[in-house]
Amino acid sequence: MNSIYFDHNATTVLDSRVLARMLPWLEMQTGNPTSRHIYGRSARDAIEDARGQVAEACGAYASQVIFTSCGTEANNFAVKGITANRPKMQILSSKIEHPCVTRPALAMQALGSVSRQIAVNANGQLDLAQLTEQLNIPTSLVSVMLANNETGVIQDLASVAELARTAGAFAHTDAVQALGKIKLNFTDLNVNAMTISSHKIHGPQGAAALILDKRLDIQPLLHGGGQERGLRSGTENIAAIVGFGAACELAATNTQSFITHTLALREQLERGLAQMKVTIFGGQEARLSNTSFFAIGGIEGETLVMALDRKNFAVASGSACSSDSSEPSHVLLAMGVDADVARGAVRVSFGEQNTSKEVAEFLATLQDEILRLKQLTAMAA
Amino acid sequence: MAYSDKVLDHYENPRNVGTLDKNDPNVGTGMVGAPACGDVMKLMIKVNDAGIIEDAKFKTYGCGSAIASSSLVTEWLKGKTVDEAYAIKNSAIAEELALPPVKIHCSVLAEDAIKAAVADIKAKQLAKASA
Amino acid sequence: MSATIEMPVVKDTFNADGHAHDAQPIYLDYSATTPVDPRVAAKMIPYITEHFGNPASRSHPYGWTAEKAVENAREEVAKLVGADPREIVWTSGATESNNLAIKGAANFYSGKGKHIITVATEHKAVIDAVRELERQGFEATYLQPEPNGLLDLTKFKAAIRPDTVLASVMFVNNEIGVIQDITAIGNICRENGIIFHVDAAQATGKVDIDLEVLPVDLMSFCAHKTYGPKGIGALYVRRKPRIRIEAQMHGGGHERGMRSGTLATHQIVGMGEAFRIAREEMHEENKRITHLRDKLLHGLETMEEVYVNGDLEHRVPHNLNISFNYVEGESLIMAVKGIAVSSGSACTSASLEPSYVLRALGRSDELAHSSIRFSIGRFTTEEDVDYTIKLMRSKIDKLRDLSPLWEMFKDGIDLSKVQWASH
């Protein structure tokens, strides 16, 4: 495929250095990490090395890292597991959360909890006043994502965590999009639990982690052989975990160069966009340096994405997980964006391999496509 | 489970495996533990008239640490007086073999085996004296 | 064909053990996990390098290629077990499949009743999922198997109550390899309107599975016991008559809402390829493995005081579980470092408790402790078996020379009558 890939917030290509570390475990691996013979023990050692690398990359202790199969599982584990062992109270999240936080929160309503979502302002920032007010009601958990997958807007998590703690609630953050893109430190964020995932940082799919304050009494999602200190049963996916560890090591060392590189590309992109009557969502806020989410008046996003695809540009019209549906982005609706404008949204998310030349080509193609689509629409009208 | 080099050495090359004549009035036997607990230790000591342990033999059904603990104490016992033997503490065994916490009970069993063997020889000596 | 494939090796160094195989113990722990077949690995690797898309991305070819690969793999998995691809739901492994099936079905049908029947020798993932449901207000019956490991159907029938909603029985036991009569149990469930779940993690590639005719509603699979990668499994959910389950992981609504979460395309591809190979080669492979297992059995059963655990007839040929009396289990494991085997299930090896499966068969603690599970597979050779027999015989002799119990047994003392000093 010769496509130019601008969809790094959906998933990323596996780094060849990560693959090199995984290959022994993919091709020659034998050994269940729970077994006591040498095969099992070397698998166990590999997992513990990876645990250290993951901890290092997100400012946590190795003993706080619980491996899961994906970010969705880690978020479900956090939301259901933390609230299951507390008195049934309110669960707070935000209106821009990924469904794998809000849906388990809704599922907990069947067991007596109440799920509420805090609003965001027009720039995509959480309404802290509303959070403060809601926290007057007894709350078991506050889950707010650190960086939004669509807009890239970064939340003031330290304040969220502080408000939650003061109110006696636990705080969880979905930091899947933040890992490797900003300096991430679990201890400094002051939250009780944090989700990170491998395949967003050039690691393999099949591994993620919940970083967890060990003092929390959490209910496992999966029961069985008692792996991961009894908190996540199931034979460990060694190859993916080793890859996750290697990807974390690379991401931690490359964060600054990633920011510098992608920021330059985005500035180039947004300078070009400025001449095309576009709205950039969350553009006024602290955002991930690699993300630009914009809409072009009068053009449907899905149509534009398909048109760009024919020209070999892989971009997204929303988050991959919801691109099954043609519903406008729930994130943009929460920001008060008109549904028609929201449908026209296109997300570009850069990676380190993208170049300035690619951005220039993209801008030229975009201009052509906009012109063509507008003519089509005009003819239809 | 990681074993220390000393445990591995005693396990691979156990010292003084075997039995002494249990009917010998100078031989004391201590058998402690139970199969259901996963370890049984049999320790035999031969004591001369001066009260010095001349020989010690063992047989152990148990994990590597249990085998190593009993093998080690047979080495320690030779040349000691019965009272010195009685004073051996499990902590010394555990320390010498670098036993992890989960295996401390093996050193306790070895200490119990010594005490049982000493009690047996003392009972025999008492019987001999009163006879 | 399989004879030309070499056993993949772990590169790590290994402390010399003073025998011919000091660098690399012989792997006889296929029931804990199998090595990835090199053909499976070869098929997977392009999907982590070139075709790395998120299968849920519908807007560009990266996503489409991934989705197509996922669907091909789903077909392969379905084919091995006689299912419709639409009945296969991907999961992260058998533990998740078992949790999803049991909690998902029990929660969905809890209005029909709150009693569950399972077996004491099930995998921990089944037992613990049922225990969790008990905490939520369900009641459970844990049936004891017969001493040969098989379920007595009259006892199963007797356990059924009007409010029994779900039964979960494993196809092939992970520790002793016995095969339950799934057809008969399933028919009883059908007659009584009970949803029937089967953990088939240890069955794929070893026994024929045809869900077209098997009266089973939910069946768990995983890849890493059948020469596929770890971290991927599947749950079969019957469509006719349709079985419903409540999702346990919520989110993007992947897998028709039954299991959300980004799926690892290369792992799914690996599972598909592993199951394809299993379908094509299992009958030939089983003949070879049966021959090896019989050889191992004959080499060991001629020793004194050895006991085979579990029925030998209703059993997969890959498994041989033997207790060596008067030898303690952990020292036995230390003694046989030249081979990689399990004492009890790998998932519980970290604990010092004797195998609960062997206890459920009525074995004494001592015999349960002194058991070894030899599990053989695709890359096991005649030489491996010869070496294993020689090693076992010499090490058992050595440990018995050390054992006061063996000495007493040889002296004709009845150990059950001995008054043991408590400690």
Side-chain angles (χ1 to χ4, degrees):
Chain A
M1 270 178 282
N2 304 316
S3 279
I4 292 173
Y5 191 74
F6 285 167
D7 199 10
H8 288 83
N9 285 6
T11 193
T12 55
V13 65
L14 189 72
D15 190 293
S16 57
R17 291 163 292 181
V18 173
L19 177 64
R21 302 249 196 110
M22 290 170 68
L23 279 177
W25 296 101
L26 279 173
E27 293 180 323
M28 299 177 282
Q29 60 148 342
T30 315
N32 186 325
T34 317
S35 300
R36 291 188 292 188
H37 46 65
I38 179 70
Y39 297 93
R41 289 201 307 275
S42 55
R44 162 74 34 224
D45 289 348
I47 287 173
E48 293 315 315
D49 286 349
R51 200 186 303 281
Q53 291 165 322
V54 170
E56 182 76 28
C58 64
Y61 296 99
S63 60
Q64 294 173 321
V65 177
I66 302 163
F67 287 118
T68 67
S69 68
C70 60
T72 293
E73 183 189 333
N75 280 338
N76 272 263
F77 179 28
V79 173
K80 297 176 102 176
I82 293 173
T83 58
N85 282 356
R86 301 204 75 190
K88 299 305 162 242
M89 298 188 278
Q90 177 174 248
I91 304 171
L92 290 177
S93 60
S94 81
K95 286 200 193 274
I96 58 165
E97 291 305 305
H98 194 278
C100 62
V101 165
T102 49
R103 292 205 188 143
L106 284 171
M108 292 309 285
Q109 295 202 137
L111 300 174
S113 293
V114 175
S115 165
R116 285 201 181 84
Q117 294 170 14
I118 304 295
V120 295
N121 66 19
N123 294 326
Q125 272 291 355
L126 193 76
D127 184 341
L128 289 178
Q130 193 185 21
L131 175 64
T132 311
E133 193 192 312
Q134 282 297 330
L135 281 169
N136 288 324
I137 302 166
T139 302
S140 53
L141 178 72
V142 179
S143 179
V144 173
M145 72 202 321
L146 184 50
N148 185 265
N149 49 318
E150 299 189 18
T151 61
V153 169
I154 298 165
Q155 300 296 337
D156 176 7
L157 238 290
S159 298
V160 172
E162 186 54 36
L163 287 170
R165 274 181 194 271
T166 310
F170 289 129
H172 164 253
T173 188
D174 175 354
V176 162
Q177 293 293 345
L179 180 65
K181 296 178 190 152
I182 59 173
K183 204 173 169 308
L184 186 60
N185 189 298
F186 177 68
T187 313
D188 289 352
L189 280 175
N190 203 24
V191 292
N192 305 96
M194 175 169 90
T195 298
I196 53 173
S197 175
S198 159
H199 75 102
K200 308 282 189 189
I201 54 161
H202 301 280
Q205 292 172 342
L210 185 68
I211 313 298
L212 183 73
D213 179 341
K214 277 182 292 183
R215 287 161 294 191
L216 240 67
D217 175 26
I218 192 166
Q219 171 82 36
L221 203 57
L222 295 181
H223 302 267
Q227 288 88 347
E228 299 294 295
R229 292 187 285 118
L231 296 177
R232 202 286 182 183
S233 290
T235 298
E236 297 89 338
N237 186 354
I238 307 168
I241 288 172
V242 165
F244 186 18
C248 276
E249 194 179 278
L250 291 172
T253 38
N254 293 345
T255 306
Q256 196 47 53
S257 65
F258 174 89
I259 294 172
T260 313
H261 179 74
T262 55
L263 193 61
L265 295 181
R266 189 181 68 191
E267 281 172 355
Q268 180 191 354
L269 172 75
E270 294 190 347
R271 271 197 307 275
L273 291 177
Q275 291 157 24
M276 297 180 211
K277 277 179 73 181
V278 300
T279 316
I280 293 167
F281 303 111
Q284 307 306 311
E285 292 294 333
R287 272 185 298 163
L288 296 177
S289 59
N290 77 321
T291 308
S292 185
F293 196 29
F294 56 90
I296 293 152
I299 292 177
E300 214 253 330
E302 200 61 38
T303 318
L304 183 57
V305 166
M306 293 305 243
L308 287 168
D309 170 59
R310 276 195 296 275
K311 301 284 178 185
N312 284 329
F313 291 97
V315 296
S317 61
S319 78
C321 291
S322 59
S323 49
D324 253 352
S325 63
S326 57
E327 285 296 298
S329 146
H330 74 285
V331 175
L332 294 182
L333 295 183
M335 290 162 68
V337 176
D338 179 80
D340 280 340
V341 177
R343 276 197 196 87
V346 172
R347 180 187 69 188
V348 167
S349 49
F350 295 118
E352 259 185 306
Q353 278 71 41
N354 292 132
T355 61
S356 166
K357 184 165 164 280
E358 290 173 347
V359 176
E361 283 170 24
F362 176 77
L363 283 167
T365 308
L366 185 63
Q367 198 136 32
D368 292 350
E369 288 302 318
I370 291 171
L371 217 65
R372 196 175 63 83
L373 289 170
K374 283 205 167 148
Q375 281 166 351
L376 280 177
T377 329
M379 282 194 295
Chain B
M1 191 154 308
Y3 287 98
S4 70
D5 289 344
K6 279 184 182 158
V7 169
L8 285 175
D9 179 37
H10 278 283
Y11 171 78
E12 299 284 353
N13 313 294
R15 333 287 201 253
N16 307 309
V17 178
T19 46
L20 300 170
D21 176 10
K22 66 172 189 273
N23 298 319
D24 183 336
N26 289 329
V27 169
T29 305
M31 186 149 80
V32 293
C37 306
D39 32 35
V40 176
M41 234 176 240
K42 189 177 81 166
L43 178 69
M44 301 181 107
I45 52 175
K46 184 169 188 176
V47 182
N48 67 17
D49 294 338
I52 306 286
I53 298 171
E54 276 184 337
D55 200 2
K57 296 274 187 201
F58 84 97
K59 283 207 174 191
T60 290
Y61 163 90
C63 65
S65 300
I67 291 170
S69 295
S70 37
S71 169
L72 176 72
V73 297
T74 58
E75 281 192 322
W76 280 2
L77 287 173
K78 285 192 212 179
K80 282 201 164 60
T81 66
V82 168
D83 290 334
E84 284 167 348
Y86 200 83
I88 292 174
K89 286 271 173 290
N90 83 287
S91 51
I93 301 164
E95 193 182 332
E96 174 66 19
L97 294 173
L99 296 182
V102 68
K103 290 295 177 192
I104 297 298
H105 70 270
C106 297
S107 64
V108 174
L109 201 64
E111 183 190 320
D112 289 350
I114 298 172
K115 289 199 158 65
V118 168
D120 187 49
I121 192 75
K122 289 207 163 171
K124 276 187 178 177
Q125 285 167 345
L126 210 62
K128 196 163 66 175
S130 61
Chain C
M1 205 178 149
S2 50
T4 60
I5 304 161
E6 289 207 2
M7 167 76 178
V9 287
V10 175
K11 277 181 179 166
D12 297 66
T13 52
F14 181 68
N15 287 337
D17 193 26
H19 55 72
H21 286 265
D22 53 12
Q24 190 65 36
I26 291 169
Y27 194 75
L28 292 177
D29 205 7
Y30 282 80
S31 296
T33 188
T34 53
V36 174
D37 188 298
R39 292 167 290 179
V40 172
K43 187 109 184 198
M44 287 167 68
I45 285 165
Y47 287 91
I48 19 178
T49 50
E50 303 156 49
H51 318 304
F52 63 91
N54 185 333
S57 291
R58 296 294 159 86
S59 53
H60 47 72
Y62 292 93
W64 302 336
T65 311
E67 196 197 354
K68 187 157 173 276
V70 166
E71 294 319 310
N72 286 344
R74 201 189 299 273
E75 233 166 81
E76 288 297 350
V77 169
K79 262 194 210 166
L80 178 67
V81 298
D84 183 304
R86 290 170 297 180
E87 296 176 314
I88 301 297
V89 174
W90 301 116
T91 67
S92 65
T95 293
E96 187 186 334
S97 296
N98 286 333
N99 273 264
L100 175 59
I102 291 167
K103 294 185 209 162
N107 286 329
F108 191 92
Y109 293 102
S110 62
K112 287 176 66 183
K114 291 196 134 187
H115 178 243
I116 301 165
I117 301 174
T118 188
V119 189
T121 47
E122 290 296 305
H123 191 273
K124 280 276 180 225
V126 166
I127 301 271
D128 287 357
V130 174
R131 291 236 185 276
E132 169 61 19
L133 287 168
E134 283 189 279
R135 279 190 287 274
Q136 293 175 20
F138 284 81
E139 288 178 48
T141 302
Y142 301 88
L143 292 170
Q144 292 298 321
E146 298 308 294
N148 64 0
L150 295 169
L151 207 53
D152 179 342
L153 297 183
T154 56
K155 288 185 187 165
F156 182 81
K157 274 186 205 158
I160 295 172
R161 310 193 323 204
D163 63 340
T164 304
V165 64
L166 174 73
S168 180
V169 177
M170 76 203 308
F171 213 135
V172 173
N173 185 272
N174 50 317
E175 291 196 30
I176 54 176
V178 298
I179 306 166
Q180 299 291 353
D181 189 347
I182 293 302
T183 306
I185 300 167
N187 283 331
I188 299 169
C189 288
R190 281 280 153 87
E191 286 157 21
N192 290 277
I194 298 166
I195 295 175
F196 186 34
H197 167 252
V198 173
D199 173 2
Q202 295 281 352
T204 47
K206 296 182 183 136
V207 295
D208 286 310
I209 302 174
D210 185 1
L211 286 160
E212 283 245 353
V213 294
L214 276 179
V216 170
D217 301 307
L218 298 157
M219 191 177 271
S220 303
F221 306 108
C222 75
H224 81 97
K225 312 274 190 195
T226 312
Y227 310 95
K230 294 181 179 56
I232 184 72
L235 179 66
Y236 161 86
V237 183
R238 183 172 287 282
R239 285 168 67 89
K240 283 177 191 165
R242 188 170 176 210
I243 295 300
R244 307 281 298 274
I245 51 172
E246 209 166 84
Q248 301 296 304
M249 259 194 241
H250 312 266
H254 310 73
E255 298 297 290
R256 298 181 307 290
M258 285 188 264
R259 199 281 184 185
S260 290
T262 300
L263 298 161
T265 308
H266 67 278
Q267 286 172 204
I268 292 174
V269 166
M271 182 163 178
E273 181 66 0
F275 276 38
R276 181 193 67 78
I277 295 170
R279 177 168 50 86
E280 290 180 356
E281 298 181 0
M282 65 181 276
H283 291 111
E284 277 307 306
E285 186 167 283
N286 281 351
K287 278 185 213 157
R288 200 182 70 86
I289 286 171
T290 304
H291 163 73
L292 292 178
R293 198 271 310 271
D294 289 346
K295 183 172 189 174
L296 182 60
L297 175 64
H298 296 141
L300 298 178
E301 71 180 354
T302 43
M303 299 174 78
E304 269 183 282
E305 285 294 305
V306 299
Y307 299 90
V308 175
N309 296 307
D311 194 84
L312 267 174
E313 192 187 334
H314 301 98
R315 184 189 195 107
V316 292
H318 308 67
N319 172 295
L320 186 60
N321 190 314
I322 294 189
S323 289
F324 299 89
N325 208 1
Y326 309 120
V327 173
E328 192 275 335
E330 210 178 309
S331 63
L332 183 57
I333 286 284
M334 275 178 84
V336 298
K337 271 187 297 185
I339 52 176
V341 290
S342 271
S343 56
S345 144
C347 290
T348 56
S349 282
S351 76
L352 299 168
E353 284 292 301
S355 153
Y356 69 96
V357 171
L358 299 189
R359 294 284 301 281
L361 305 190
R363 287 289 190 221
S364 66
D365 277 8
E366 301 89 90
L367 278 178
H369 262 302
S370 70
S371 72
I372 291 220
R373 178 185 70 182
F374 304 90
S375 47
I376 51 192
R378 190 168 291 167
F379 307 105
T380 309
T381 64
E382 295 262 352
E383 293 74 42
D384 292 343
V385 171
D386 290 335
Y387 173 80
T388 301
I389 294 169
K390 203 166 134 248
L391 177 82
M392 289 308 301
R393 296 190 75 107
S394 77
K395 294 291 183 176
I396 295 290
D397 283 348
K398 185 188 166 195
L399 285 170
R400 282 179 172 172
D401 279 345
L402 263 174
S403 167
L405 304 183
W406 179 250
E407 185 181 57
M408 292 162 86
F409 165 73
K410 282 299 198 181
D411 288 346
I413 297 170
D414 182 352
L415 291 176
S416 65
K417 301 239 161 59
V418 175
Q419 194 68 41
W420 300 102
S422 60
H423 74 289

